[in-house]
Amino acid sequence: MKTDRNAKTTNMQVPTPSNVRISVKDFGPIAKGSIDLRPLTIFVGPSNTGKTYFATLIYALHLMLDGFQRLPVVFAYRDHFEPGFLRDETLATNIGLRKEELQETLKKLETVGRAFRFLDLPRGVRDAVRSVLKNPEVLGACIGTEFERCFDLKSLSDLVRLSCESGGTQLSLDVSEEKQSLWHFDMELSASGITTSGEIEDIILFPEEWLTSTLGHHREFHRFSALVKERMELDSSLERGHLFEFFDRLLYAANFANEQDDMHYLPANRSGIMQSHRLIASSLVARSTRTGQGHPREFPTLPGVTADFMEQLILFTEERERDELIKTIADTLEREVLDGQILINRASAGGYPEFVYQPRKTNEIIRLTRVSSMVSELAPVVLFLRAVINRGDMLIIEEPEAHLHPAAQTEMAKTLGRLVRAGVRVVVTTHSDWLLKEIGNLVREGELKDKTGQPDRENLLPSSLQPSDVGVWQFRKDGTSKGATVEEIPYDRIEGVEPEEYEYVSEALYNRSADLQNQLAETAGGTKYKHE
């Protein structure tokens, strides 16, 4: 559900996110893997195994599909299909809608005691919606363009692993709601181009209770349908544009209740960007004119996730009205970890916001270039929570534990739990055992709360989680050149969500320590240590 960003949303309804499963084969460094997006999705594993690749893939797909909605309509492709896909001539020419079909659709919508299903749409409209999935020149081409931007590719072929046996990269996306499949999309990328396929199930577009609703967008839709019927009674003809507008609004209304909100990506290099974004922005503006003497003809490019992050910093504003719960989470992170505030200095030259740090109980203002790495690392997290993120949004954070003391890492885990409880879908990549251990504790706390009926210890900012809230996915190399694989680590009440490799590293460190201690003991005649 889209939110009014100028309105307080403390008690706003949080949309129920669709269930999303994404599978890839021979995708960058990943040989094969599938993940299910949970309220909190965690990627763990050694470097260079594809965690960032998969996170970027989620970001690109979410942008192109405007969230993982109940119908894969192309509202996100406003540059290509404005103002709606049924009014784009490339898709609408062969629909061949008739007034009789519109009358039949209105009749089904107004029938008391029945839901309105996808198969209740005229065949031409169903085919137009399906063509979004099946025509590689529609969604496939748009995804290809977004992949090149987000992954900073010169060519889509750069995504195909050189050692892959299939000759191409395969991607599938399945969207479901509870136990009902909604739609799926498959894409294969090879040297010959992009091929796409997919299907939309006969899903319920409008439950019976929706059709009697008089709230929000549904009220506007019913008003428009009344105007259509009035026009039909006065004039036997109905312009083609009215037909397209009717079904365009109908499909938008079907997605409206579960529409996902914005996507935000905080990259791993955010600390350096925070310290230098004003310098980078000034440099880009100075070099954005046509090439002249002393100016290079080509500019280096950035991955789309980094460029989007920088753009949000350059255009950063704090609105007066904010979701009070998300803002409180940000304030708590500042107080308990930063021990100070992140402020915005707008009096700086160039008009770009400068972010500064004010330690608690002082009037001292410190530029981020002079603060600790912990402060500059957490500054963008605080700023995005305070002024950008709303409930229903998706947030991807790479290595939220970076530059944090172990105690601060556990506080960051609680922040993630609070965001999930507030209705933000979170994806993180991490190497932190401390972070994972505390997330395991948050799940145990949620289980204990359910069994005992005790309320959350933090009534205002609950952070406890349920096992179903968390999905941990292990990226690992298989010891060959075939690439990395992705497997889920199931939650264990005893072990939590700790990867086996962490235990192996810990055991190896202990054994090495015991060996060295034994050697020292032998030289001094002391007590030997036992190996595990």
Side-chain angles (χ1 to χ4, degrees), residues 173-191:
L173 171 65
D174 295 276
V175 180
S176 60
E177 195 173 68
E178 296 180 350
K179 296 182 179 180
Q180 179 188 17
S181 176
L182 299 178
W183 57 275
H184 69 270
F185 168 73
D186 300 289
M187 184 182 80
E188 184 167 347
L189 170 66
S190 65

Side-chain angles (χ1 to χ4, degrees), residues 265-279:
Y265 197 119
L266 299 183
N269 56 347
R270 57 187 173 273
S271 177
I273 294 174
M274 283 296 296
Q275 294 181 359
S276 59
H277 82 280
R278 292 180 65 247
L279 177 62

Side-chain angles (χ1 to χ4, degrees), residues 270-278 309 313 334 338 341-345 353-359 365-383:
R270 57 187 173 273
S271 177
I273 294 174
M274 283 296 296
Q275 294 181 359
S276 59
H277 82 280
R278 292 180 65 247
F309 174 65
L313 291 178
E334 282 186 308
L338 291 181
Q341 284 186 298
I342 304 298
L343 305 175
I344 305 175
N345 178 14
E354 180 182 21
F355 305 106
V356 297
Y357 172 67
Q358 181 180 21
I365 300 297
I366 308 174
R367 297 176 61 182
L368 290 188
T369 53
R370 295 173 46 224
V371 300
S372 71
S373 57
M374 180 196 73
V375 173
S376 61
E377 191 71 33
L378 287 183
V381 180
V382 169
L383 290 169

Side-chain angles (χ1 to χ4, degrees), residues 194-491:
I194 297 177
T195 59
T196 61
S197 62
E199 189 54 76
I200 300 173
E201 305 297 332
D202 182 27
I203 61 177
I204 295 177
L205 298 182
F206 296 99
E208 180 185 354
E209 58 269 22
W210 284 23
L211 298 177
T212 58
S213 172
T214 59
L215 300 176
H217 187 84
H218 304 300
R219 182 175 62 245
E220 297 177 10
F221 167 74
H222 285 300
R223 183 185 297 117
F224 178 75
S225 63
L227 292 175
V228 170
K229 287 191 291 184
E230 181 181 351
R231 174 66 182 271
M232 291 172 63
E233 293 173 356
L234 295 176
D235 190 346
S236 58
S237 65
L238 194 64
E239 294 180 6
R240 186 182 185 86
H242 289 125
L243 289 170
F244 295 153
E245 185 173 2
F246 174 80
F247 286 107
D248 198 39
R249 291 200 180 196
L250 177 63
L251 294 171
Y252 183 85
N255 264 340
F256 184 76
N258 276 334
E259 184 179 1
Q260 295 297 298
D261 230 304
D262 291 339
M263 162 68 84
H264 314 280
Y265 197 119
L266 299 183
N269 56 347
R270 57 187 173 273
S271 177
I273 294 174
M274 283 296 296
Q275 294 181 359
S276 59
H277 82 280
R278 292 180 65 247
L279 177 62
I280 296 173
S282 300
S283 176
L284 289 174
V285 170
R287 298 160 70 95
S288 63
T289 57
R290 292 184 179 274
T291 301
Q293 185 175 1
H295 288 267
R297 293 185 178 275
E298 293 186 5
F299 296 101
T301 56
L302 294 170
V305 292
T306 302
D308 292 348
F309 174 65
M310 288 183 59
E311 181 181 10
Q312 286 186 290
L313 291 178
I314 294 170
L315 303 177
F316 190 88
T317 59
E318 283 193 282
E319 299 171 355
R320 295 180 180 177
E321 305 289 347
R322 286 295 303 153
D323 186 315
E324 291 297 332
L325 179 56
I326 303 296
K327 184 177 181 299
T328 302
I329 294 174
D331 294 341
T332 303
L333 184 61
E334 282 186 308
R335 182 179 63 254
E336 296 184 355
V337 180
L338 291 181
D339 197 30
Q341 284 186 298
I342 304 298
L343 305 175
I344 305 175
N345 178 14
R346 295 198 174 276
S348 57
Y352 307 113
E354 180 182 21
F355 305 106
V356 297
Y357 172 67
Q358 181 180 21
R360 189 165 55 173
K361 297 181 180 180
T362 72
N363 294 323
E364 184 181 8
I365 300 297
I366 308 174
R367 297 176 61 182
L368 290 188
T369 53
R370 295 173 46 224
V371 300
S372 71
S373 57
M374 180 196 73
V375 173
S376 61
E377 191 71 33
L378 287 183
V381 180
V382 169
L383 290 169
F384 272 56
L385 294 182
R386 206 165 67 197
V388 178
I389 294 170
N390 287 305
R391 304 190 217 184
D393 286 0
M394 180 176 286
L395 172 64
I396 299 177
I397 311 179
E398 287 193 71
E399 301 177 20
E401 76 278 3
H403 303 295
L404 301 187
H405 183 276
Q409 293 181 35
T410 62
E411 289 299 324
M412 174 56 71
K414 293 177 183 177
T415 299
L416 299 178
R418 289 163 184 160
L419 288 173
V420 170
R421 290 291 300 272
V424 178
R425 180 176 266 186
V426 182
V427 178
V428 300
T429 68
T430 184
H431 295 285
S432 171
D433 190 28
W434 308 102
L435 186 84
L436 293 176
K437 286 185 180 298
E438 183 58 25
I439 288 174
N441 286 336
L442 296 180
V443 176
R444 295 184 185 99
E445 185 179 2
E447 288 189 302
L448 181 62
K449 171 179 169 292
D450 280 354
K451 291 182 179 296
T452 62
Q454 296 177 352
D456 285 290
R457 290 182 299 174
E458 303 167 303
N459 291 326
L460 295 178
L461 291 178
S463 59
S464 61
L465 300 169
Q466 294 297 316
S468 59
D469 291 333
V470 182
V472 182
W473 304 90
Q474 171 81 52
F475 290 65
R476 67 178 69 190
K477 297 178 181 178
D478 62 2
T480 70
S481 60
K482 292 183 178 181
T485 58
V486 185
E487 297 178 355
E488 183 176 9
I489 302 175
Y491 167 75

Side-chain angles (χ1 to χ4, degrees), residues 102-119:
L102 178 58
Q103 291 173 320
E104 182 65 23
T105 301
L106 288 171
K107 181 179 178 181
K108 291 178 180 178
L109 280 167
E110 294 173 349
T111 300
V112 178
R114 76 181 298 275
F116 186 86
R117 308 185 70 90
F118 181 72
L119 286 182

Side-chain angles (χ1 to χ4, degrees), residues 60 64 74 76-77 80-81 135-148 194:
M64 291 310 305
V74 291
Y77 318 149
H80 304 276
F81 300 102
N135 186 348
E137 296 181 358
V138 184
L139 183 57
C142 294
I143 286 181
T145 300
E146 193 63 29
F147 278 7
E148 290 180 349
I194 297 177

